[in-house]
Amino acid sequence: MTQRSPKSAPETGIDWNRFAFRALSILAKDLRMTGKLQPRRLELFVEKLRVAVSSRDPEAAPAVISKMREAQISSFVIADHYIPEVARRLGEAWCSDEMDFATVTIGSARLQGILRSLGPEWSAEDQHINPTAPRCMVIVPAGAQHTLGATILAGQLRRSGISVSLVVGAQPATLSARCEGASYDAFLISASEHEKLNDIKRIVEAVRSAGEKTPVIVGGNVLALAADVETQTGADLATSDVEAAIRFCGFDARLLHLVGEES
């Protein structure tokens, strides 16, 4: 999504420009890895889903999802490919003045609702798969609206065999308390370009209480702010490549098969 100067928005007391950039700052390339899709079918249902989540009919999107399931498209493929692509197109439509604020934000909220309806892999609840599985915390800073990408990431990690705690609206103080006495194998912070690096640094310092050697990784569009995000935040790695993050953490190579594929 090409950045441009903020546009005017209704005077509602809400910073709609800031909200829209945060909510739609995920890009499909940040969420996909190696999955294979049939391009023609991808395009067909992506456009149907984009129209549905943008419509006034709240039942339109669930109806499209039902059609996709009838076409034997799995929940994982919907989450890993279709939803990110629809989100990207919503963002492009907003930037090109083809879609207004209300439509874009409603569409984003509906995509989040679709994710939650797909299964427990995309819930915000802690999911501990088995006692020997790696355990990660995926963190979205307080005040952020960009939860869609983090939710998709949590789903990818969970079905790969990793136990994930998804923490949305994280504050440094509450993170410190949550990490006290807990055992995590990695912390992944999902941040947009609107988060201040100093705020992310405080989150990194908070989770360090769980152990100095536990990897802390920062990802998301915040990486566009500076070339030395690791240095400025104290993180061990800055990347939006999930496979690179898993390798960095030293997890089993079998966990790299994350993205849903069509048969």
Side-chain angles (χ1 to χ4, degrees), residues 191-205 218 221-235 238:
S192 80
E193 58 201 18
H194 295 283
E195 265 75 62
K196 296 178 180 178
L197 292 178
N198 280 341
D199 292 338
I200 298 171
K201 181 179 181 179
R202 285 191 282 271
I203 290 177
V204 172
E205 291 171 346
V218 175
N221 285 349
V222 70
L223 304 188
L225 287 178
D228 58 344
V229 172
E230 294 103 327
T231 301
Q232 294 194 51
T233 63

Side-chain angles (χ1 to χ4, degrees), residues 12 15 34 51 58 62 113 138-139 163-164 176 180-181 183 254:
T12 60
D15 187 345
T34 59
V51 171
V138 175
I139 300 167
S163 294
V164 177
S176 295
E180 186 175 354
S183 177
R254 288 173 298 177

Side-chain angles (χ1 to χ4, degrees), residues 47-68:
E47 187 56 21
K48 285 182 179 293
L49 190 57
R50 186 198 66 78
V51 171
V53 299
S54 306
S55 76
R56 294 184 178 183
D57 181 5
E59 301 303 319
V64 172
I65 296 298
S66 294
K67 291 291 185 183
M68 294 174 75

Side-chain angles (χ1 to χ4, degrees), residues 107-130:
S108 299
R110 285 176 175 166
L111 289 176
Q112 188 75 50
I114 290 170
L115 267 181
R116 290 194 297 268
S117 73
L118 292 178
E121 291 89 351
W122 298 277
S123 75
E125 301 297 323
D126 288 3
Q127 292 188 29
H128 306 302
I129 298 171
N130 66 63

Side-chain angles (χ1 to χ4, degrees), residues 70-147:
E70 289 174 7
Q72 303 300 308
I73 300 175
S74 73
S75 295
F76 304 129
V77 169
I78 292 171
D80 288 349
H81 296 276
Y82 289 87
I83 288 179
E85 179 61 17
V86 172
R88 186 185 67 80
R89 294 188 187 191
L90 288 178
E92 287 183 344
W94 180 80
C95 284
S96 61
D97 291 323
E98 297 174 14
M99 199 170 287
D100 60 27
F101 284 101
T103 304
V104 165
T105 52
I106 289 172
S108 299
R110 285 176 175 166
L111 289 176
Q112 188 75 50
I114 290 170
L115 267 181
R116 290 194 297 268
S117 73
L118 292 178
E121 291 89 351
W122 298 277
S123 75
E125 301 297 323
D126 288 3
Q127 292 188 29
H128 306 302
I129 298 171
N130 66 63
T132 63
R135 187 181 180 194
C136 296
M137 180 184 288
V138 175
I139 300 167
V140 179
Q145 306 294 337
H146 60 290
T147 60

Side-chain angles (χ1 to χ4, degrees), residues 14-44:
I14 300 175
D15 187 345
W16 283 104
N17 290 324
R18 189 174 176 83
F19 174 88
F21 271 119
R22 284 182 170 185
L24 295 171
S25 62
I26 71 165
L27 295 175
K29 66 183 179 64
D30 290 332
L31 296 170
R32 295 178 187 170
M33 281 155 288
T34 59
K36 297 178 181 179
L37 293 178
Q38 299 172 18
R40 292 183 64 182
R41 182 155 71 159
L42 172 66
E43 181 58 33
L44 170 65

